[in-house]
Amino acid sequence: MNQALLDTLVCPLTRTPLRWDAERQELVSEAAGLAYPVRDGVPVMLVEEARRTG
């Protein structure tokens, strides 16, 4: 994940920063308990597409 892109993205639900999980290839919102997938290098920032983390 490009660091410049990561620095600009926030969770659409909570507006908090995201953490990159390289192993799972997803962006994690600790505040929302959601992980957003990255498909073909493109973050899918839709709550409906996110996986619950806990």
Side-chain angles (χ1 to χ4, degrees):
M1 175 60 57
N2 178 308
Q3 187 62 45
L5 178 60
L6 184 57
D7 290 342
T8 62
L9 292 174
V10 295
C11 174
L13 188 62
T14 63
R15 302 286 187 227
T16 56
L18 298 167
R19 175 181 57 81
W20 172 240
D21 184 334
E23 184 177 318
R24 291 184 178 250
Q25 295 289 297
E26 56 191 14
L27 294 162
V28 179
S29 170
E30 302 291 345
L34 296 173
Y36 299 93
V38 176
R39 298 187 184 129
D40 297 322
V42 178
V44 180
M45 304 302 296
L46 300 171
V47 174
E48 305 82 46
E49 295 290 321
R51 174 182 69 79
R52 292 204 179 273
T53 61

